[in-house]
Amino acid sequence: MEEDTVNIEELKRPWDTCREIPLIEEVHTPWKLIKLLKIIALFAVAIIVFGLVVCSKASFLLLTTLSHEGAKTLQAEQKPLTLLCIGCSLIAPSVLLLFKSAWKACYKSSKLPRKASAALVLFFEFVVSVGMAVLTIVAMPHLDIVTNVTILSSVAVLSALLQAVAQCIVKKINIFLLPSIIASLVIFLGYGLFIALYIMKDPKDVKTAIWVGLAIGGSLLVSFNWWENYFRVISVKSKSNFLKNLFEDLTKSQNMLHIFSSLLRIVVTACVLGAYVPLAEMDWKIVTSIPSRETRIVAIIIGVQLISSALCHWFALAACKMHAIRRCFILPLYLSSLAVIALFIVPVVIYYQDYKLALNTTENINFTRYCTAAVNETNQSPSGAAASWWIGLVLATIHIWYLNIYRIQKTQDLFVRRLYEGAFIDQSLLLNTRFHIQTKKGRKKHDREDATTAMVYLCATMWHETYEEMMNIMISVFRLDKYRPNVEPKFDDFTFEAHFYFDDAFESVKGSHHRQLNSYANDLVKVITEVYGIFKNLDRTFFEVQQQIPDQSIIETPYGARLVVQMPHGNKIVVHFKDKEKIRNKKRWSQIMYLYYLLGWKLMTKYHGDWKMGGNENYLSKKIQREKHNTYLLALDGDTDFHPAAVMLLIDRLKMYPRVGAACGRIHPTGSGPTVWFQKFEYAVSHWLQKTAEHVFGSVLCSPGCFSLFRAEALMDDNVMKKYSTQSTEPSHYIQYDQGEDRWLCTLLLKQGWRVEYNAASDAYTNAPQEFKELYNQRRRWGPSTMANVVDLLGSTNIVSKKNPSMSKLFMFYQLFGMISAILAPSTICLMVAGSLSFLFNISGATALVISVIPPAIYLGLCFKLKADTQITIAAVLSILYAFLMMVVTMSIIASMVKEKTILTPSSIFIVAMSIIYIVTALMHPQELPLVFYGILYIACVPSAYLLLTIYSMVNMNSVSWGTRETKPAAEAATTAATVQQTTSQKAKTTLKRLCSWMKCCKTSNQRSEDEQLSIRQDNLNPEPTQPEPQPQNTIVDDASDNEQEEEETVIDSPVQCWKSQLESLSSDIQLQEGFLEEDENQFWKELIERYLKPVQNDKAKQEQIKNDLQDLRNKINFSFFILNAFWLVAAFTFQAFNVFNIEINSVDMHLNQTGGKIQIEPMNLMFIVGFALSVLLQFIGMFYHRITTFIHYVAFLETEPKQQKSATKKRKQKDSISNADSSSGFASSMEMSSITQEETEAEISDEADSEDELSESDIGEWEDEA
């Protein structure tokens, strides 16, 4: 009590109120710029959608007007041309759908439909295509413009009826039932007015009656186009198994059905068009003899119509995904018909004065009389049905105003059909939007089901991180705790726990049976304490008493120790300190440790217990599947710095796309110095072009472990987690499994059919190697492991392409091209250096090639003989020389272009084109634009990165040590009598401390042995911790050698400070309470360690055998690798030395005038330039598309997340105000009331949880009945 008073007094010191707070807010992402761009983008999209739909409708109406028999622009015999264009506008969407579906059927899914499904779809497609052709080709050319604009809105008649029918069948009436009924009645009223205004005017006009009848019949047939929208609702809610099976078959065989339906539409439209022209006494032969002026006019109109329709469909989709459905989708489409009508009426007003002059009379002519004359002249009759049809369309689609959209929404969840209708783009987009029956109660239930709370486990593996690096990741975790607090009212999107797995956290101390935490583990505890205090008192005023850190718990475990910390906002941090004498250490085994603990023990065991208690197995299996699907693991490195928005954006990808097994973010290397500058540009280019191309055209092959989100369902799939826990037994395993564990895990996911994605909006920052040696050792691991995993995928191309829809054979061919390029990179660099030498010194290409091969050949030989450090030193020297050469050559080429005043040479064109691509790419990443300046250093380092580094990594692939973050063993200080001598008072004080420490360490469970309860120590209570040995990673050889290096310690029979009291002594701000594992969990850890994670025993014979096997594998691979490069160089030398095949072209200047010179192009160089240019161009296209989708995701995030945060903050403030009012009314007995309130709150939360469980079970039961 006295100690607590002292602590509170220390916290109240008024002269010590200044604080040191690290950077917490987001500073890297330019959110203000993005918000400004969001406003501009939404305004631009609204204008673009409106403009495109007006262009599409207006151009189509011009085609129908030109087809009118009274139109003067085209002669009567030339009408087949405009009818042909109308047919083209009808079938163009079908052609696009045919190509898209054929692509997906060939490379993704191609399930054949059942006969009933095919017959049903083809019947409706036939009806719709006949109605559309009759309405637009036969009837509309004989009607007036106003009628043509609005009669297309009447196609909503069947949709309005089916909305009412669907709601009645499923017995769920909502507020949209009445608008649906009224919409049907209004549209039928429009039909009545249409008939009255046309036929009743002249009942004897048979032709007009025929055109009116065909128009009404065609529009009714077209209205069947969106039957699937309502059949889906009826079949899902129906109890009929036939309807459910039919709908399931329609869904699974969409690609083949779309192929059949597209072909049917094209054929039917062609037949109707081909039959109508002869029946209308027109001749197709006139199409080939129409004058160029008329042809040009019609071509422009149809071109505008086709392009504007396709673009309007895409921008409308983007508007919905941006969560601007009302502003940028519904309103522009509603207003488009009115705008087109106004567009065609404005000329009537403009030409009114010309009409008055043309009459040449003194009679007073008013505007009404002019309009009457204009109508009578063109035989047009403005229809009163126009307003009825337009109002009917609005009422039939009013439910879209209340459509629920996720942050990022799949296209198939927004629109029922992939197809849009070019003839009436606005109606097709509105009616194609998915219809949901939304009652007030059902809407809440729908929201609750869709907003399934995900569980995210943050899993960080740590080893030798510095204090600053630990501070980065800890601040990130506490920042996420503040962003998504685990207190009422909770957010419904996700909750999380943070788990840190600290490798080799313990060290032996002389004179002790017990091992103590090393200095790195001690630093981590200090960092947690410091960051906890910062976030706990972040919002406190200067003179307000700072809140103390509540007690946390420490637990002894079979693998070492565990520290459990509850963060200020309710989320937990669990630090697992691993003792390598009890459990296998290194990164992959830490990952296996948390996979089996979090997914095996925490997720599966509770359901197994329910099953043993008699739970329904089918129900439990579905519940397990749902939880596995909504449980994510965020893999982190011990130095990763991230912000909550980055995590949210990754979660979006996995929530919306069920077959996405993993998603990675944009990794930014941090640090300073030339080595880091090189990596910054390298990472940028890799993410800008390579990863985006993989994401767009196939699947990302590697999701880095420093910041990636994995789905539990994918990790627990067959041949993934179980295979990942395989112990390396063959030489190739050590390279593929242990040197690039992140890439191997992704390889397992891809082979199992899961997709891996890249989200450029999710930024994370991690420290990069700052020394040349560290970089080379890191890439020495990455290079061979990357090659091994890609070769593994390429070797299973047929299986992977069949099992994984994202990995098409064309994408695998792209990866094959990349692999060949990587293998031939050393020889390609030699050819580039040879060209540079030939350009600088004006020597023959063959001689320059021989000279360029000598340095890397010598370096290759030395790498087989010298130690790794010496190899790196030589590589550093050669890298500097090559860098000077590259800079000289670059400047020389630029000077040559300036001197000759031309860039029309192969090398100049290549350099200029690549520069433009990289600059444009950088401009599309404005926050990363400064990285372009590091590109100069990157160019200078190309020979080092792709020649010397490749040689080093290939020759040293048998070295399976980690190579980074390794510390040298500290020399043991000699123990002398002087260092252990103490005065009498010091000895007395020391003895008292020993006794207290010994008593605290002995507070263990009764199940523990006496040996585990006692501790022994030297006279010195705080011995200097021994620094760990340099640790390789993930090999039996290295694990055993680590154990072999442990020295036998002399045990002195005296008390010692145990690791528990050691933790408590680190900070007076945090109090640790000892806890214990439950018996079941304790047994789980023992079984897991025994089965998968048992420390490797020292076996020198086995180590030697593995070492020899790795060397043999290295020799075989190196022989194949470098012999291929030798063949490539010999072929190039042959071409150059004997002039076997040379291409000569005339040199031209910027004005394409020949200068008289000749330019020789070597075939090998030409192949490299063409291949590399095509690859970069493909990547650039992928980047452009990916950048657009990333921006849409940004806008959607900014539209939705602030609203969610504001709503939760408002609820929390309301709760706090109520709580404060309650506490102030009972201030006299605050202590008693607080305890009572806490108990009541816990009881209420428990009751709410029980009720939620019951409700969720009933919902699941209902969902099972429905499904």
Side-chain angles (χ1 to χ4, degrees), residues 247 261 347 482 788 851 893 1053 1266:
F247 173 70
S261 62
K482 186 173 183 290
I851 296 174
I893 292 176
D1053 190 14
E1266 292 171 353

Side-chain angles (χ1 to χ4, degrees), residues 317-342:
L317 179 62
C320 294
K321 292 189 175 185
M322 286 180 175
H323 282 251
I325 190 167
R326 295 182 180 181
R327 292 167 286 177
C328 303
F329 179 76
I330 300 177
L331 284 177
L333 296 182
Y334 279 168
L335 298 177
S336 60
S337 296
L338 304 180
V340 172
I341 293 175

Side-chain angles (χ1 to χ4, degrees), residues 946-1146:
Y946 295 97
L947 176 62
L948 303 177
L949 180 55
T950 303
I951 294 173
Y952 174 77
S953 62
M954 294 301 296
V955 174
N956 292 277
M957 70 166 57
N958 62 311
S959 173
V960 287
S961 63
W962 204 245
T964 55
R965 294 193 185 278
E966 294 183 347
T967 57
K968 297 181 179 180
E972 295 186 3
T975 305
T976 62
T979 59
V980 296
Q981 287 182 346
Q982 295 177 330
T983 63
T984 304
S985 60
Q986 287 175 329
K987 287 184 178 180
K989 187 176 180 180
T990 299
T991 304
L992 182 60
K993 287 184 177 179
R994 289 178 192 168
L995 182 60
C996 294
S997 175
W998 177 80
M999 292 176 64
K1000 185 172 289 186
C1001 289
C1002 288
K1003 293 180 181 178
T1004 58
S1005 64
N1006 295 329
Q1007 300 173 355
R1008 296 182 183 167
S1009 64
E1010 185 177 352
D1011 292 336
E1012 293 175 338
Q1013 297 175 12
L1014 299 177
S1015 57
I1016 306 172
R1017 55 160 298 165
Q1018 289 180 318
D1019 291 337
N1020 185 7
L1021 287 174
N1022 296 298
E1024 184 69 24
T1026 305
Q1027 292 294 334
E1029 296 287 336
Q1031 293 197 36
Q1033 285 276 10
N1034 298 333
T1035 71
I1036 295 177
V1037 181
D1038 300 319
D1039 287 345
S1041 62
D1042 286 346
N1043 295 331
E1044 188 180 7
Q1045 291 173 359
E1046 296 288 336
E1047 297 182 358
E1048 295 293 335
E1049 305 291 350
T1050 303
V1051 178
I1052 301 175
D1053 190 14
S1054 62
V1056 68
Q1057 183 187 22
C1058 69
W1059 59 268
K1060 300 174 188 176
S1061 56
Q1062 178 190 4
L1063 283 180
E1064 292 179 352
S1065 65
L1066 291 178
S1067 175
S1068 60
D1069 295 333
I1070 186 170
Q1071 300 297 320
L1072 301 178
Q1073 298 295 328
E1074 185 177 358
F1076 306 104
L1077 288 181
E1078 294 181 358
E1079 181 59 30
D1080 291 343
E1081 185 177 349
N1082 193 66
Q1083 185 63 27
F1084 155 74
W1085 283 113
K1086 290 179 179 179
E1087 293 176 359
L1088 178 65
I1089 292 172
E1090 182 64 28
R1091 185 172 179 84
Y1092 295 111
L1093 301 174
K1094 190 174 181 179
V1096 179
Q1097 301 299 321
N1098 185 10
D1099 189 344
K1100 292 186 177 180
K1102 189 175 183 179
Q1103 295 174 39
E1104 190 65 27
Q1105 179 64 36
I1106 293 173
K1107 180 180 178 182
N1108 294 333
D1109 291 343
L1110 284 169
Q1111 287 181 347
D1112 291 342
L1113 179 66
R1114 186 271 311 267
N1115 294 336
K1116 292 177 183 178
I1117 294 177
N1118 274 261
F1119 176 78
S1120 302
F1121 184 88
F1122 289 109
I1123 201 68
L1124 289 174
N1125 281 273
F1127 286 158
W1128 186 255
L1129 290 173
V1130 169
F1133 178 81
T1134 303
F1135 277 115
Q1136 293 177 355
F1138 302 103
N1139 293 324
V1140 175
F1141 181 73
N1142 279 333
I1143 302 174
E1144 287 190 356
I1145 59 174
N1146 295 322

Side-chain angles (χ1 to χ4, degrees), residues 810-823:
L810 283 178
F811 179 72
M812 299 303 288
F813 178 78
Y814 167 77
Q815 293 298 328
L816 177 63
F817 177 79
M819 174 57 63
I820 294 173
S821 301
I823 293 174

Side-chain angles (χ1 to χ4, degrees), residues 546-575:
Q546 294 184 346
Q547 296 185 12
Q548 288 183 288
I549 301 174
D551 294 348
Q552 310 298 340
S553 61
I554 51 174
I555 304 171
E556 187 172 352
T557 62
Y559 57 81
R562 180 188 297 176
L563 171 64
V564 182
V565 179
Q566 187 172 14
M567 290 180 281
H569 298 280
N571 296 291
K572 287 184 179 180
I573 289 179
V574 183
V575 182

